[in-house]
Amino acid sequence: DQVSKISVTFVDKDGDEKTIKVPIGMSMLEAAHENDIELEGKYSGHLWIEYLGGACEGSLACSTCHVIVMDVDYYNRLEDPTDEENDMLDLAFGLTETSRLGCQVIAKPELDGIRVALPAATRNFAVDGYVPKPH
Ligand code: FES
């Protein structure tokens, strides 16, 4: 059967999960915005925390769409990041080994069930002793 949509779970800063259906070919950034997972940056103390903002609308000129793939197995199913993406990721807050820019992660059948966290969420998890697990 042709898969037309995949399941994607976003984990927000409180650890709350929201699972949405994302059409094949749509970026995680677009999908988040279509589903009101539309978060912007804010100050936390003196730190600027970037949520899934998408300031440059996917043109690789910002890092506000930074997401963290919570399962390395899914991370490995993604196309390799371009040099442009890596340059932007280097500027992202809370960079991890499985960080990507949400505007560059495009839904495809192999990604069904992927879980992505926002950078601030991961930081809070660390504080709470939360360890992301493959599901
Ligand atoms: Fe700017 Fe993704 S939205 S790099």
Side-chain angles (χ1 to χ4, degrees), residues 8 10 22 25-33 51-54 57-58 60 62-69 78 85 89 92 98-107 111 116-119:
V8 176
F10 286 88
V22 181
M26 182 181 276
S27 77
M28 296 303 124
L29 175 66
E30 288 172 272
H33 284 184
Y51 298 108
L52 194 64
E57 302 292 338
L60 283 176
C62 75
S63 59
T64 63
C65 63
H66 176 201
V67 295
I68 295 159
V69 180
L78 302 174
E85 182 178 349
L89 274 173
T98 60
S99 288
R100 292 297 301 259
L101 293 178
C103 65
Q104 303 300 308
V105 177
I106 309 298
L111 296 182
V116 296
L118 303 168

PDB file of all heavy atoms in Angstrom, residues 8 10 22 25-33 51-54 57-58 60 62-69 78 85 89 92 98-107 111 116-119:
ATOM      1  N   VAL A   8       4.045  11.608  13.234  1.00  0.00           N
ATOM      2  CA  VAL A   8       5.195  12.315  13.795  1.00  0.00           C
ATOM      3  C   VAL A   8       4.797  12.834  15.167  1.00  0.00           C
ATOM      4  O   VAL A   8       3.726  13.436  15.324  1.00  0.00           O
ATOM      5  CB  VAL A   8       5.615  13.507  12.904  1.00  0.00           C
ATOM      6  CG1 VAL A   8       6.750  14.301  13.563  1.00  0.00           C
ATOM      7  CG2 VAL A   8       6.043  13.021  11.525  1.00  0.00           C
ATOM      8  N   PHE A  10       5.759  15.343  18.231  1.00  0.00           N
ATOM      9  CA  PHE A  10       6.548  16.469  18.729  1.00  0.00           C
ATOM     10  C   PHE A  10       6.487  16.465  20.248  1.00  0.00           C
ATOM     11  O   PHE A  10       5.409  16.295  20.826  1.00  0.00           O
ATOM     12  CB  PHE A  10       5.987  17.792  18.212  1.00  0.00           C
ATOM     13  CG  PHE A  10       6.280  18.039  16.759  1.00  0.00           C
ATOM     14  CD1 PHE A  10       5.430  17.566  15.779  1.00  0.00           C
ATOM     15  CD2 PHE A  10       7.419  18.734  16.381  1.00  0.00           C
ATOM     16  CE1 PHE A  10       5.700  17.794  14.430  1.00  0.00           C
ATOM     17  CE2 PHE A  10       7.696  18.968  15.034  1.00  0.00           C
ATOM     18  CZ  PHE A  10       6.838  18.494  14.063  1.00  0.00           C
ATOM     19  N   VAL A  22       1.544  13.574   9.054  1.00  0.00           N
ATOM     20  CA  VAL A  22       2.252  14.471   8.142  1.00  0.00           C
ATOM     21  C   VAL A  22       2.299  13.847   6.745  1.00  0.00           C
ATOM     22  O   VAL A  22       2.776  12.724   6.577  1.00  0.00           O
ATOM     23  CB  VAL A  22       3.692  14.728   8.650  1.00  0.00           C
ATOM     24  CG1 VAL A  22       4.422  15.676   7.714  1.00  0.00           C
ATOM     25  CG2 VAL A  22       3.670  15.275  10.074  1.00  0.00           C
ATOM     26  N   GLY A  25       6.455  14.197   1.911  1.00  0.00           N
ATOM     27  CA  GLY A  25       6.949  15.338   1.153  1.00  0.00           C
ATOM     28  C   GLY A  25       6.899  16.660   1.906  1.00  0.00           C
ATOM     29  O   GLY A  25       7.485  17.641   1.474  1.00  0.00           O
ATOM     30  N   MET A  26       6.188  16.664   3.044  1.00  0.00           N
ATOM     31  CA  MET A  26       6.089  17.914   3.816  1.00  0.00           C
ATOM     32  C   MET A  26       7.210  17.970   4.853  1.00  0.00           C
ATOM     33  O   MET A  26       7.589  16.956   5.431  1.00  0.00           O
ATOM     34  CB  MET A  26       4.729  17.988   4.517  1.00  0.00           C
ATOM     35  CG  MET A  26       4.527  19.284   5.291  1.00  0.00           C
ATOM     36  SD  MET A  26       2.915  19.350   6.129  1.00  0.00           S
ATOM     37  CE  MET A  26       1.892  19.938   4.788  1.00  0.00           C
ATOM     38  N   SER A  27       7.755  19.165   5.078  1.00  0.00           N
ATOM     39  CA  SER A  27       8.812  19.297   6.082  1.00  0.00           C
ATOM     40  C   SER A  27       8.211  19.310   7.479  1.00  0.00           C
ATOM     41  O   SER A  27       7.031  19.638   7.669  1.00  0.00           O
ATOM     42  CB  SER A  27       9.624  20.567   5.853  1.00  0.00           C
ATOM     43  OG  SER A  27       8.901  21.700   6.307  1.00  0.00           O
ATOM     44  N   MET A  28       9.025  18.958   8.450  1.00  0.00           N
ATOM     45  CA  MET A  28       8.584  18.974   9.845  1.00  0.00           C
ATOM     46  C   MET A  28       8.200  20.387  10.283  1.00  0.00           C
ATOM     47  O   MET A  28       7.308  20.573  11.098  1.00  0.00           O
ATOM     48  CB  MET A  28       9.688  18.438  10.767  1.00  0.00           C
ATOM     49  CG  MET A  28      10.041  16.989  10.527  1.00  0.00           C
ATOM     50  SD  MET A  28       8.611  15.889  10.682  1.00  0.00           S
ATOM     51  CE  MET A  28       8.631  15.074   9.089  1.00  0.00           C
ATOM     52  N   LEU A  29       8.886  21.358   9.717  1.00  0.00           N
ATOM     53  CA  LEU A  29       8.555  22.750  10.047  1.00  0.00           C
ATOM     54  C   LEU A  29       7.141  23.100   9.581  1.00  0.00           C
ATOM     55  O   LEU A  29       6.322  23.602  10.353  1.00  0.00           O
ATOM     56  CB  LEU A  29       9.574  23.691   9.403  1.00  0.00           C
ATOM     57  CG  LEU A  29       9.265  25.180   9.572  1.00  0.00           C
ATOM     58  CD1 LEU A  29       9.372  25.573  11.035  1.00  0.00           C
ATOM     59  CD2 LEU A  29      10.184  26.021   8.721  1.00  0.00           C
ATOM     60  N   GLU A  30       6.859  22.808   8.309  1.00  0.00           N
ATOM     61  CA  GLU A  30       5.514  23.084   7.783  1.00  0.00           C
ATOM     62  C   GLU A  30       4.456  22.322   8.572  1.00  0.00           C
ATOM     63  O   GLU A  30       3.393  22.849   8.893  1.00  0.00           O
ATOM     64  CB  GLU A  30       5.403  22.624   6.329  1.00  0.00           C
ATOM     65  CG  GLU A  30       6.148  23.444   5.321  1.00  0.00           C
ATOM     66  CD  GLU A  30       6.099  22.740   3.966  1.00  0.00           C
ATOM     67  OE1 GLU A  30       6.987  21.902   3.704  1.00  0.00           O
ATOM     68  OE2 GLU A  30       5.167  23.012   3.200  1.00  0.00           O
ATOM     69  N   ALA A  31       4.756  21.061   8.857  1.00  0.00           N
ATOM     70  CA  ALA A  31       3.791  20.221   9.559  1.00  0.00           C
ATOM     71  C   ALA A  31       3.495  20.785  10.943  1.00  0.00           C
ATOM     72  O   ALA A  31       2.343  20.837  11.382  1.00  0.00           O
ATOM     73  CB  ALA A  31       4.327  18.796   9.667  1.00  0.00           C
ATOM     74  N   ALA A  32       4.534  21.238  11.615  1.00  0.00           N
ATOM     75  CA  ALA A  32       4.350  21.797  12.950  1.00  0.00           C
ATOM     76  C   ALA A  32       3.456  23.033  12.884  1.00  0.00           C
ATOM     77  O   ALA A  32       2.525  23.201  13.671  1.00  0.00           O
ATOM     78  CB  ALA A  32       5.703  22.152  13.567  1.00  0.00           C
ATOM     79  N   HIS A  33       3.748  23.879  11.914  1.00  0.00           N
ATOM     80  CA  HIS A  33       2.967  25.112  11.806  1.00  0.00           C
ATOM     81  C   HIS A  33       1.512  24.824  11.444  1.00  0.00           C
ATOM     82  O   HIS A  33       0.609  25.451  11.987  1.00  0.00           O
ATOM     83  CB  HIS A  33       3.608  26.044  10.785  1.00  0.00           C
ATOM     84  CG  HIS A  33       4.829  26.708  11.338  1.00  0.00           C
ATOM     85  ND1 HIS A  33       5.545  27.661  10.649  1.00  0.00           N
ATOM     86  CD2 HIS A  33       5.468  26.550  12.519  1.00  0.00           C
ATOM     87  CE1 HIS A  33       6.567  28.065  11.393  1.00  0.00           C
ATOM     88  NE2 HIS A  33       6.556  27.397  12.518  1.00  0.00           N
ATOM     89  N   TYR A  51      12.721  28.025  19.958  1.00  0.00           N
ATOM     90  CA  TYR A  51      11.777  26.954  19.680  1.00  0.00           C
ATOM     91  C   TYR A  51      11.644  26.801  18.180  1.00  0.00           C
ATOM     92  O   TYR A  51      12.323  27.467  17.413  1.00  0.00           O
ATOM     93  CB  TYR A  51      10.422  27.282  20.309  1.00  0.00           C
ATOM     94  CG  TYR A  51      10.492  27.395  21.795  1.00  0.00           C
ATOM     95  CD1 TYR A  51      10.391  28.625  22.421  1.00  0.00           C
ATOM     96  CD2 TYR A  51      10.707  26.264  22.554  1.00  0.00           C
ATOM     97  CE1 TYR A  51      10.470  28.718  23.786  1.00  0.00           C
ATOM     98  CE2 TYR A  51      10.783  26.356  23.927  1.00  0.00           C
ATOM     99  CZ  TYR A  51      10.662  27.589  24.552  1.00  0.00           C
ATOM    100  OH  TYR A  51      10.743  27.689  25.892  1.00  0.00           O
ATOM    101  N   LEU A  52      10.719  25.970  17.803  1.00  0.00           N
ATOM    102  CA  LEU A  52      10.508  25.730  16.386  1.00  0.00           C
ATOM    103  C   LEU A  52       9.847  26.956  15.762  1.00  0.00           C
ATOM    104  O   LEU A  52       8.639  27.047  15.670  1.00  0.00           O
ATOM    105  CB  LEU A  52       9.628  24.501  16.218  1.00  0.00           C
ATOM    106  CG  LEU A  52       9.563  23.902  14.836  1.00  0.00           C
ATOM    107  CD1 LEU A  52      10.919  23.387  14.409  1.00  0.00           C
ATOM    108  CD2 LEU A  52       8.568  22.770  14.834  1.00  0.00           C
ATOM    109  N   GLY A  53      10.663  27.907  15.378  1.00  0.00           N
ATOM    110  CA  GLY A  53      10.112  29.159  14.893  1.00  0.00           C
ATOM    111  C   GLY A  53       9.971  29.213  13.387  1.00  0.00           C
ATOM    112  O   GLY A  53       8.948  29.581  12.854  1.00  0.00           O
ATOM    113  N   GLY A  54      11.021  28.819  12.678  1.00  0.00           N
ATOM    114  CA  GLY A  54      10.966  28.864  11.230  1.00  0.00           C
ATOM    115  C   GLY A  54      11.060  30.277  10.694  1.00  0.00           C
ATOM    116  O   GLY A  54      10.366  30.642   9.742  1.00  0.00           O
ATOM    117  N   GLU A  57      11.579  30.671   6.969  1.00  0.00           N
ATOM    118  CA  GLU A  57      10.665  29.908   6.105  1.00  0.00           C
ATOM    119  C   GLU A  57      11.382  28.829   5.303  1.00  0.00           C
ATOM    120  O   GLU A  57      11.041  28.566   4.155  1.00  0.00           O
ATOM    121  CB  GLU A  57       9.908  30.853   5.149  1.00  0.00           C
ATOM    122  CG  GLU A  57       9.106  31.928   5.838  1.00  0.00           C
ATOM    123  CD  GLU A  57       7.919  31.369   6.614  1.00  0.00           C
ATOM    124  OE1 GLU A  57       7.486  30.247   6.288  1.00  0.00           O
ATOM    125  OE2 GLU A  57       7.447  32.035   7.546  1.00  0.00           O
ATOM    126  N   GLY A  58      12.391  28.235   5.908  1.00  0.00           N
ATOM    127  CA  GLY A  58      13.006  27.074   5.273  1.00  0.00           C
ATOM    128  C   GLY A  58      14.094  27.370   4.267  1.00  0.00           C
ATOM    129  O   GLY A  58      14.450  26.512   3.472  1.00  0.00           O
ATOM    130  N   LEU A  60      17.230  28.039   4.974  1.00  0.00           N
ATOM    131  CA  LEU A  60      18.538  27.783   5.591  1.00  0.00           C
ATOM    132  C   LEU A  60      19.289  29.063   5.949  1.00  0.00           C
ATOM    133  O   LEU A  60      20.495  29.155   5.767  1.00  0.00           O
ATOM    134  CB  LEU A  60      19.405  26.905   4.669  1.00  0.00           C
ATOM    135  CG  LEU A  60      19.050  25.419   4.666  1.00  0.00           C
ATOM    136  CD1 LEU A  60      19.904  24.666   3.652  1.00  0.00           C
ATOM    137  CD2 LEU A  60      19.241  24.814   6.051  1.00  0.00           C
ATOM    138  N   CYS A  62      18.495  30.569   9.078  1.00  0.00           N
ATOM    139  CA  CYS A  62      18.313  30.759  10.518  1.00  0.00           C
ATOM    140  C   CYS A  62      18.515  29.395  11.171  1.00  0.00           C
ATOM    141  O   CYS A  62      18.828  28.430  10.492  1.00  0.00           O
ATOM    142  CB  CYS A  62      16.914  31.296  10.836  1.00  0.00           C
ATOM    143  SG  CYS A  62      15.581  30.079  10.703  1.00  0.00           S
ATOM    144  N   SER A  63      18.340  29.299  12.462  1.00  0.00           N
ATOM    145  CA  SER A  63      18.382  27.967  13.071  1.00  0.00           C
ATOM    146  C   SER A  63      17.191  27.800  14.008  1.00  0.00           C
ATOM    147  O   SER A  63      17.207  26.957  14.893  1.00  0.00           O
ATOM    148  CB  SER A  63      19.695  27.750  13.819  1.00  0.00           C
ATOM    149  OG  SER A  63      19.848  28.723  14.831  1.00  0.00           O
ATOM    150  N   THR A  64      16.174  28.608  13.791  1.00  0.00           N
ATOM    151  CA  THR A  64      15.037  28.588  14.725  1.00  0.00           C
ATOM    152  C   THR A  64      14.153  27.359  14.550  1.00  0.00           C
ATOM    153  O   THR A  64      13.260  27.134  15.356  1.00  0.00           O
ATOM    154  CB  THR A  64      14.158  29.851  14.570  1.00  0.00           C
ATOM    155  OG1 THR A  64      13.603  29.864  13.251  1.00  0.00           O
ATOM    156  CG2 THR A  64      14.954  31.107  14.809  1.00  0.00           C
ATOM    157  N   CYS A  65      14.396  26.586  13.512  1.00  0.00           N
ATOM    158  CA  CYS A  65      13.583  25.384  13.298  1.00  0.00           C
ATOM    159  C   CYS A  65      14.292  24.138  13.815  1.00  0.00           C
ATOM    160  O   CYS A  65      13.892  23.019  13.505  1.00  0.00           O
ATOM    161  CB  CYS A  65      13.242  25.238  11.824  1.00  0.00           C
ATOM    162  SG  CYS A  65      14.712  25.001  10.803  1.00  0.00           S
ATOM    163  N   HIS A  66      15.337  24.333  14.604  1.00  0.00           N
ATOM    164  CA  HIS A  66      16.111  23.231  15.175  1.00  0.00           C
ATOM    165  C   HIS A  66      15.218  22.220  15.906  1.00  0.00           C
ATOM    166  O   HIS A  66      14.429  22.601  16.775  1.00  0.00           O
ATOM    167  CB  HIS A  66      17.124  23.850  16.155  1.00  0.00           C
ATOM    168  CG  HIS A  66      17.962  22.870  16.913  1.00  0.00           C
ATOM    169  ND1 HIS A  66      18.576  23.220  18.090  1.00  0.00           N
ATOM    170  CD2 HIS A  66      18.282  21.576  16.675  1.00  0.00           C
ATOM    171  CE1 HIS A  66      19.267  22.177  18.544  1.00  0.00           C
ATOM    172  NE2 HIS A  66      19.094  21.160  17.708  1.00  0.00           N
ATOM    173  N   VAL A  67      15.348  20.977  15.525  1.00  0.00           N
ATOM    174  CA  VAL A  67      14.676  19.897  16.253  1.00  0.00           C
ATOM    175  C   VAL A  67      15.699  18.812  16.571  1.00  0.00           C
ATOM    176  O   VAL A  67      16.740  18.707  15.919  1.00  0.00           O
ATOM    177  CB  VAL A  67      13.514  19.255  15.456  1.00  0.00           C
ATOM    178  CG1 VAL A  67      12.388  20.246  15.223  1.00  0.00           C
ATOM    179  CG2 VAL A  67      13.995  18.655  14.134  1.00  0.00           C
ATOM    180  N   ILE A  68      15.381  18.039  17.582  1.00  0.00           N
ATOM    181  CA  ILE A  68      16.258  16.941  17.988  1.00  0.00           C
ATOM    182  C   ILE A  68      15.519  15.632  17.746  1.00  0.00           C
ATOM    183  O   ILE A  68      14.438  15.421  18.295  1.00  0.00           O
ATOM    184  CB  ILE A  68      16.651  17.090  19.467  1.00  0.00           C
ATOM    185  CG1 ILE A  68      17.499  18.353  19.624  1.00  0.00           C
ATOM    186  CG2 ILE A  68      17.402  15.849  19.949  1.00  0.00           C
ATOM    187  CD1 ILE A  68      17.547  18.890  21.024  1.00  0.00           C
ATOM    188  N   VAL A  69      16.082  14.809  16.900  1.00  0.00           N
ATOM    189  CA  VAL A  69      15.482  13.504  16.641  1.00  0.00           C
ATOM    190  C   VAL A  69      15.784  12.623  17.858  1.00  0.00           C
ATOM    191  O   VAL A  69      16.933  12.474  18.265  1.00  0.00           O
ATOM    192  CB  VAL A  69      16.060  12.884  15.349  1.00  0.00           C
ATOM    193  CG1 VAL A  69      15.428  11.525  15.077  1.00  0.00           C
ATOM    194  CG2 VAL A  69      15.844  13.827  14.176  1.00  0.00           C
ATOM    195  N   LEU A  78      17.520   9.676   7.872  1.00  0.00           N
ATOM    196  CA  LEU A  78      17.407  10.972   7.184  1.00  0.00           C
ATOM    197  C   LEU A  78      18.517  11.128   6.160  1.00  0.00           C
ATOM    198  O   LEU A  78      19.590  10.536   6.297  1.00  0.00           O
ATOM    199  CB  LEU A  78      17.509  12.105   8.208  1.00  0.00           C
ATOM    200  CG  LEU A  78      16.472  12.089   9.334  1.00  0.00           C
ATOM    201  CD1 LEU A  78      16.785  13.182  10.342  1.00  0.00           C
ATOM    202  CD2 LEU A  78      15.083  12.261   8.766  1.00  0.00           C
ATOM    203  N   GLU A  85      23.170  23.381   5.875  1.00  0.00           N
ATOM    204  CA  GLU A  85      22.434  23.029   7.090  1.00  0.00           C
ATOM    205  C   GLU A  85      23.383  22.891   8.274  1.00  0.00           C
ATOM    206  O   GLU A  85      23.102  23.386   9.368  1.00  0.00           O
ATOM    207  CB  GLU A  85      21.640  21.733   6.893  1.00  0.00           C
ATOM    208  CG  GLU A  85      20.837  21.388   8.156  1.00  0.00           C
ATOM    209  CD  GLU A  85      19.978  20.135   8.021  1.00  0.00           C
ATOM    210  OE1 GLU A  85      19.823  19.618   6.897  1.00  0.00           O
ATOM    211  OE2 GLU A  85      19.457  19.691   9.066  1.00  0.00           O
ATOM    212  N   LEU A  89      23.222  24.751  11.791  1.00  0.00           N
ATOM    213  CA  LEU A  89      23.095  23.964  13.030  1.00  0.00           C
ATOM    214  C   LEU A  89      24.154  24.359  14.052  1.00  0.00           C
ATOM    215  O   LEU A  89      23.901  24.365  15.256  1.00  0.00           O
ATOM    216  CB  LEU A  89      23.213  22.468  12.718  1.00  0.00           C
ATOM    217  CG  LEU A  89      21.926  21.761  12.297  1.00  0.00           C
ATOM    218  CD1 LEU A  89      22.241  20.340  11.850  1.00  0.00           C
ATOM    219  CD2 LEU A  89      20.892  21.751  13.427  1.00  0.00           C
ATOM    220  N   ALA A  92      22.908  26.779  16.347  1.00  0.00           N
ATOM    221  CA  ALA A  92      21.675  26.472  17.070  1.00  0.00           C
ATOM    222  C   ALA A  92      21.930  26.293  18.562  1.00  0.00           C
ATOM    223  O   ALA A  92      22.958  25.736  18.965  1.00  0.00           O
ATOM    224  CB  ALA A  92      21.030  25.207  16.498  1.00  0.00           C
ATOM    225  N   THR A  98      21.977  14.384  17.369  1.00  0.00           N
ATOM    226  CA  THR A  98      20.877  14.039  16.464  1.00  0.00           C
ATOM    227  C   THR A  98      20.024  15.264  16.132  1.00  0.00           C
ATOM    228  O   THR A  98      18.835  15.155  15.877  1.00  0.00           O
ATOM    229  CB  THR A  98      19.994  12.915  17.051  1.00  0.00           C
ATOM    230  OG1 THR A  98      19.447  13.361  18.287  1.00  0.00           O
ATOM    231  CG2 THR A  98      20.785  11.635  17.268  1.00  0.00           C
ATOM    232  N   SER A  99      20.676  16.424  16.149  1.00  0.00           N
ATOM    233  CA  SER A  99      19.973  17.659  15.792  1.00  0.00           C
ATOM    234  C   SER A  99      19.838  17.796  14.282  1.00  0.00           C
ATOM    235  O   SER A  99      20.752  17.432  13.537  1.00  0.00           O
ATOM    236  CB  SER A  99      20.754  18.874  16.305  1.00  0.00           C
ATOM    237  OG  SER A  99      20.656  18.976  17.708  1.00  0.00           O
ATOM    238  N   ARG A 100      18.714  18.325  13.854  1.00  0.00           N
ATOM    239  CA  ARG A 100      18.523  18.694  12.446  1.00  0.00           C
ATOM    240  C   ARG A 100      17.704  19.976  12.398  1.00  0.00           C
ATOM    241  O   ARG A 100      17.117  20.386  13.389  1.00  0.00           O
ATOM    242  CB  ARG A 100      17.768  17.597  11.691  1.00  0.00           C
ATOM    243  CG  ARG A 100      18.544  16.309  11.516  1.00  0.00           C
ATOM    244  CD  ARG A 100      19.795  16.470  10.680  1.00  0.00           C
ATOM    245  NE  ARG A 100      19.539  16.961   9.331  1.00  0.00           N
ATOM    246  CZ  ARG A 100      19.499  16.194   8.242  1.00  0.00           C
ATOM    247  NH1 ARG A 100      19.697  14.900   8.334  1.00  0.00           N
ATOM    248  NH2 ARG A 100      19.284  16.720   7.050  1.00  0.00           N
ATOM    249  N   LEU A 101      17.685  20.579  11.222  1.00  0.00           N
ATOM    250  CA  LEU A 101      16.795  21.708  11.028  1.00  0.00           C
ATOM    251  C   LEU A 101      15.452  21.165  10.546  1.00  0.00           C
ATOM    252  O   LEU A 101      15.393  20.403   9.572  1.00  0.00           O
ATOM    253  CB  LEU A 101      17.387  22.702  10.036  1.00  0.00           C
ATOM    254  CG  LEU A 101      18.645  23.419  10.544  1.00  0.00           C
ATOM    255  CD1 LEU A 101      19.192  24.358   9.479  1.00  0.00           C
ATOM    256  CD2 LEU A 101      18.377  24.184  11.835  1.00  0.00           C
ATOM    257  N   GLY A 102      14.397  21.572  11.239  1.00  0.00           N
ATOM    258  CA  GLY A 102      13.078  21.012  10.956  1.00  0.00           C
ATOM    259  C   GLY A 102      12.596  21.268   9.544  1.00  0.00           C
ATOM    260  O   GLY A 102      11.796  20.502   9.000  1.00  0.00           O
ATOM    261  N   CYS A 103      13.103  22.335   8.930  1.00  0.00           N
ATOM    262  CA  CYS A 103      12.663  22.642   7.567  1.00  0.00           C
ATOM    263  C   CYS A 103      13.333  21.732   6.546  1.00  0.00           C
ATOM    264  O   CYS A 103      12.949  21.710   5.379  1.00  0.00           O
ATOM    265  CB  CYS A 103      12.926  24.102   7.225  1.00  0.00           C
ATOM    266  SG  CYS A 103      14.671  24.548   7.164  1.00  0.00           S
ATOM    267  N   GLN A 104      14.349  20.992   6.983  1.00  0.00           N
ATOM    268  CA  GLN A 104      15.088  20.113   6.063  1.00  0.00           C
ATOM    269  C   GLN A 104      14.727  18.645   6.260  1.00  0.00           C
ATOM    270  O   GLN A 104      15.211  17.782   5.533  1.00  0.00           O
ATOM    271  CB  GLN A 104      16.602  20.305   6.260  1.00  0.00           C
ATOM    272  CG  GLN A 104      17.064  21.745   6.072  1.00  0.00           C
ATOM    273  CD  GLN A 104      16.760  22.277   4.693  1.00  0.00           C
ATOM    274  OE1 GLN A 104      17.107  21.662   3.686  1.00  0.00           O
ATOM    275  NE2 GLN A 104      16.075  23.415   4.623  1.00  0.00           N
ATOM    276  N   VAL A 105      13.930  18.366   7.271  1.00  0.00           N
ATOM    277  CA  VAL A 105      13.495  16.988   7.498  1.00  0.00           C
ATOM    278  C   VAL A 105      12.157  16.813   6.790  1.00  0.00           C
ATOM    279  O   VAL A 105      11.154  17.417   7.185  1.00  0.00           O
ATOM    280  CB  VAL A 105      13.366  16.685   9.005  1.00  0.00           C
ATOM    281  CG1 VAL A 105      12.843  15.265   9.216  1.00  0.00           C
ATOM    282  CG2 VAL A 105      14.708  16.866   9.709  1.00  0.00           C
ATOM    283  N   ILE A 106      12.173  16.033   5.741  1.00  0.00           N
ATOM    284  CA  ILE A 106      10.999  15.872   4.888  1.00  0.00           C
ATOM    285  C   ILE A 106      10.362  14.506   5.158  1.00  0.00           C
ATOM    286  O   ILE A 106      11.062  13.484   5.194  1.00  0.00           O
ATOM    287  CB  ILE A 106      11.395  15.976   3.387  1.00  0.00           C
ATOM    288  CG1 ILE A 106      12.230  17.239   3.123  1.00  0.00           C
ATOM    289  CG2 ILE A 106      10.152  15.912   2.500  1.00  0.00           C
ATOM    290  CD1 ILE A 106      11.516  18.542   3.408  1.00  0.00           C
ATOM    291  N   ALA A 107       9.059  14.506   5.352  1.00  0.00           N
ATOM    292  CA  ALA A 107       8.352  13.254   5.644  1.00  0.00           C
ATOM    293  C   ALA A 107       8.510  12.249   4.509  1.00  0.00           C
ATOM    294  O   ALA A 107       8.337  12.589   3.338  1.00  0.00           O
ATOM    295  CB  ALA A 107       6.875  13.549   5.879  1.00  0.00           C
ATOM    296  N   LEU A 111      10.098   7.252   7.869  1.00  0.00           N
ATOM    297  CA  LEU A 111      10.117   8.065   9.092  1.00  0.00           C
ATOM    298  C   LEU A 111       8.834   7.922   9.914  1.00  0.00           C
ATOM    299  O   LEU A 111       8.667   8.598  10.928  1.00  0.00           O
ATOM    300  CB  LEU A 111      10.343   9.544   8.745  1.00  0.00           C
ATOM    301  CG  LEU A 111      11.692   9.868   8.087  1.00  0.00           C
ATOM    302  CD1 LEU A 111      11.805  11.370   7.832  1.00  0.00           C
ATOM    303  CD2 LEU A 111      12.866   9.388   8.932  1.00  0.00           C
ATOM    304  N   VAL A 116      10.346  13.876  17.601  1.00  0.00           N
ATOM    305  CA  VAL A 116      11.303  14.980  17.635  1.00  0.00           C
ATOM    306  C   VAL A 116      11.004  15.887  18.821  1.00  0.00           C
ATOM    307  O   VAL A 116       9.855  16.123  19.168  1.00  0.00           O
ATOM    308  CB  VAL A 116      11.297  15.809  16.323  1.00  0.00           C
ATOM    309  CG1 VAL A 116      11.746  14.961  15.153  1.00  0.00           C
ATOM    310  CG2 VAL A 116       9.940  16.418  16.049  1.00  0.00           C
ATOM    311  N   ALA A 117      12.072  16.339  19.437  1.00  0.00           N
ATOM    312  CA  ALA A 117      11.938  17.249  20.579  1.00  0.00           C
ATOM    313  C   ALA A 117      12.457  18.614  20.195  1.00  0.00           C
ATOM    314  O   ALA A 117      13.303  18.753  19.306  1.00  0.00           O
ATOM    315  CB  ALA A 117      12.735  16.715  21.768  1.00  0.00           C
ATOM    316  N   LEU A 118      11.942  19.620  20.857  1.00  0.00           N
ATOM    317  CA  LEU A 118      12.457  20.967  20.690  1.00  0.00           C
ATOM    318  C   LEU A 118      13.618  21.140  21.650  1.00  0.00           C
ATOM    319  O   LEU A 118      13.641  20.543  22.711  1.00  0.00           O
ATOM    320  CB  LEU A 118      11.340  21.962  20.973  1.00  0.00           C
ATOM    321  CG  LEU A 118      10.132  21.696  20.067  1.00  0.00           C
ATOM    322  CD1 LEU A 118       8.928  22.465  20.533  1.00  0.00           C
ATOM    323  CD2 LEU A 118      10.487  22.019  18.641  1.00  0.00           C
ATOM    324  N   PRO A 119      14.603  21.943  21.270  1.00  0.00           N
ATOM    325  CA  PRO A 119      15.831  22.036  22.067  1.00  0.00           C
ATOM    326  C   PRO A 119      15.596  22.337  23.537  1.00  0.00           C
ATOM    327  O   PRO A 119      16.211  21.722  24.399  1.00  0.00           O
ATOM    328  CB  PRO A 119      16.607  23.176  21.405  1.00  0.00           C
ATOM    329  CG  PRO A 119      16.076  23.243  20.022  1.00  0.00           C
ATOM    330  CD  PRO A 119      14.664  22.761  20.059  1.00  0.00           C
TER     331      PRO A 119
END
